Amino acid sequence: MDDLEKPLSLVLFSGTDDKLKAAAVLAVGAAAMGKRVNIFLQYYALDAFRAGRVTADHRLSPEATADQAPAVRTHPGSHWSELLRQAKDVGEVDIQACALSMDMFHLKRQELDSLVDGVEGVAAFMSSAAEGQVVFI
Amino acid sequence: MDDLEKPLSLVLFSGTDDKLKAAAVLAVGAAAMGKRVNIFLQYYALDAFRAGRVTADHRLSPEATADQAPAVRTHPGSHWSELLRQAKDVGEVDIQACALSMDMFHLKRQELDSLVDGVEGVAAFMSSAAEGQVVFI
Amino acid sequence: MDDLEKPLSLVLFSGTDDKLKAAAVLAVGAAAMGKRVNIFLQYYALDAFRAGRVTADHRLSPEATADQAPAVRTHPGSHWSELLRQAKDVGEVDIQACALSMDMFHLKRQELDSLVDGVEGVAAFMSSAAEGQVVFI
């Protein structure tokens, strides 16, 4: 199988708005090229996908300095959730919540934003990510 | 060679318990699928593998909020070191300490936990990671 | 195409000296093996490549503890910018600034260090990274 036909699999761990936006930009870029994209939501990233809280302030990476943060915060452009919606519109993008992290935060399926397509364990994710690129963000 | 026969190579940089657990979960998942797993310990991750300190408190990622941290800390389940032991039991998992980071922390081979299989330079690691997936955590 | 002929693509997001050094070490290792290396500078990593500021203090990852930081800071060895120069000398290493992040920090091409080869959008980067390994740091 050609590499272009293999998926890009993103393990999202961080839940800050800057990293989620960087991830969403990669997802849009890959989807626009016709790549399948698998997204696996863990830890703080999963927490950012709670229904009704997606566009809340999820802060920036702790490394952002007082000089950098205002530039990042005020930069216009689509919210990461909007970019993920666009990625789903143009391509095949599957967003799964990690079952272990669901349990960690005592979350139920209906408490997640509609961007999330389902809940799965790491074995199912690793199976879909067996081929292609895996990126941890 | 089929992609499934190519290794998953994890460069562990962060030494916090949440990221080490996320890494260990990926390692277990890959090993259970029959994938070879190469782990390369650098910087703060290496520091977490000192003999006698593996199960000490290695804190959480600095992005963890006061709301999130208790859920992560109290979540039951195996410690990341236990998951790595399981991964080694079910599959082919090789854990190497980065020679440069060993030197940085003035560490000797015998000061590392028995999970660590050896010490190697980046050239040796890149050679084993030349094929397959590379993930930086 | 053989995997060794496929590039290693590094998305650099973090701009701290420890992560930039870890990234530069991977780039040198890959270049020395004859792998092409694509580097895409985003967010805080891009900010670290401003002309005249490359060797300034870019701090360490916020997870570095008071015990760990001195060992990392005082470790002798080449600066990450020097390692990237070496990587360019021995191999094919292309460093591109993310157009979106340039806009975010109101940066112009001539304000970047000479290590940077150009400015490109995510589509161009994803196209060069369509094959091979993708690592987010």
Side-chain angles (χ1 to χ4, degrees):
Chain A
M1 185 163 61
D2 193 272
D3 272 16
L4 289 168
E5 297 167 44
K6 296 176 187 170
L8 171 68
S9 296
L10 306 176
V11 181
L12 303 193
F13 173 94
S14 290
T16 55
D17 284 320
D18 46 3
K19 284 210 175 168
L20 289 168
K21 181 136 181 189
V25 164
L26 292 182
V28 171
M33 283 175 59
K35 272 213 178 207
R36 279 176 295 133
V37 179
N38 301 314
I39 297 180
F40 193 54
L41 303 174
Q42 291 188 320
Y43 285 82
Y44 315 110
L46 176 62
D47 202 43
F49 278 79
R50 285 173 190 254
R53 289 209 223 161
V54 164
T55 55
D57 180 6
H58 298 288
R59 306 168 320 284
L60 299 181
S61 303
E63 76 163 270
T65 62
D67 279 349
Q68 295 167 329
V72 177
R73 283 191 194 284
T74 62
H75 189 236
S78 305
H79 190 263
W80 54 263
S81 59
E82 189 48 44
L83 290 175
L84 288 176
R85 248 170 226 111
Q86 289 170 22
K88 286 191 160 201
D89 283 345
V90 299
E92 204 181 322
V93 178
D94 186 58
I95 304 182
Q96 296 287 330
C98 169
L100 209 67
S101 295
M102 290 292 284
D103 187 52
M104 184 182 286
F105 291 119
H106 309 291
L107 283 168
K108 291 191 175 52
R109 176 74 186 81
Q110 63 268 28
E111 296 176 88
L112 298 178
D113 187 85
S114 62
L115 276 167
V116 182
D117 296 297
V119 177
E120 69 182 17
V122 72
F125 171 73
M126 289 306 282
S127 171
S128 60
E131 291 191 311
Q133 300 156 332
V134 180
V135 179
F136 185 95
I137 297 181
Chain B
M1 184 162 63
D2 193 271
D3 272 17
L4 288 169
E5 296 168 46
K6 296 175 186 170
L8 171 68
S9 297
L10 305 176
V11 181
L12 303 193
F13 173 94
S14 291
T16 56
D17 284 321
D18 46 4
K19 285 209 174 169
L20 289 167
K21 180 137 181 189
V25 165
L26 292 183
V28 171
M33 284 175 58
K35 273 214 177 205
R36 279 176 296 134
V37 180
N38 301 315
I39 298 181
F40 192 54
L41 304 174
Q42 292 188 320
Y43 284 82
Y44 316 110
L46 176 62
D47 203 42
F49 279 78
R50 285 174 191 253
R53 289 209 223 159
V54 163
T55 55
D57 180 6
H58 298 287
R59 307 169 319 284
L60 298 180
S61 303
E63 75 163 271
T65 63
D67 279 350
Q68 294 167 330
V72 178
R73 283 190 194 284
T74 61
H75 189 236
S78 306
H79 189 263
W80 53 263
S81 59
E82 189 47 45
L83 291 175
L84 289 177
R85 247 170 227 111
Q86 288 171 21
K88 286 191 160 203
D89 284 344
V90 299
E92 204 182 322
V93 178
D94 185 58
I95 304 183
Q96 295 287 331
C98 170
L100 209 67
S101 295
M102 290 292 284
D103 187 52
M104 184 182 286
F105 292 119
H106 308 291
L107 283 168
K108 292 190 175 53
R109 176 73 187 81
Q110 63 268 29
E111 295 176 90
L112 298 178
D113 188 84
S114 62
L115 277 167
V116 182
D117 296 297
V119 178
E120 70 183 16
V122 73
F125 172 72
M126 289 307 282
S127 170
S128 61
E131 293 192 310
Q133 300 155 331
V134 181
V135 178
F136 185 95
I137 297 181
Chain C
M1 185 163 62
D2 193 272
D3 273 17
L4 288 169
E5 297 168 46
K6 296 176 186 170
L8 171 68
S9 297
L10 305 176
V11 181
L12 302 193
F13 173 93
S14 291
T16 54
D17 284 321
D18 47 3
K19 285 209 175 167
L20 288 168
K21 180 135 182 190
V25 165
L26 291 183
V28 170
M33 284 175 59
K35 273 214 178 207
R36 278 176 297 134
V37 180
N38 301 314
I39 297 181
F40 193 53
L41 303 174
Q42 292 187 320
Y43 285 82
Y44 316 110
L46 176 61
D47 203 42
F49 279 78
R50 287 174 190 252
R53 288 209 224 160
V54 164
T55 55
D57 179 7
H58 299 287
R59 306 169 319 284
L60 298 180
S61 302
E63 76 163 272
T65 63
D67 279 350
Q68 294 166 330
V72 178
R73 283 191 194 283
T74 61
H75 189 236
S78 306
H79 189 263
W80 54 263
S81 59
E82 189 47 45
L83 290 175
L84 288 177
R85 247 171 226 112
Q86 289 171 21
K88 286 192 159 200
D89 283 345
V90 299
E92 204 181 324
V93 178
D94 185 58
I95 304 183
Q96 296 287 331
C98 169
L100 210 67
S101 295
M102 289 293 284
D103 188 51
M104 183 181 286
F105 291 119
H106 310 292
L107 283 169
K108 292 190 175 51
R109 176 73 185 81
Q110 64 267 28
E111 295 176 89
L112 298 178
D113 187 84
S114 62
L115 276 167
V116 183
D117 296 297
V119 178
E120 70 182 18
V122 72
F125 172 72
M126 289 306 282
S127 171
S128 61
E131 292 192 309
Q133 299 156 331
V134 181
V135 178
F136 185 95
I137 297 180

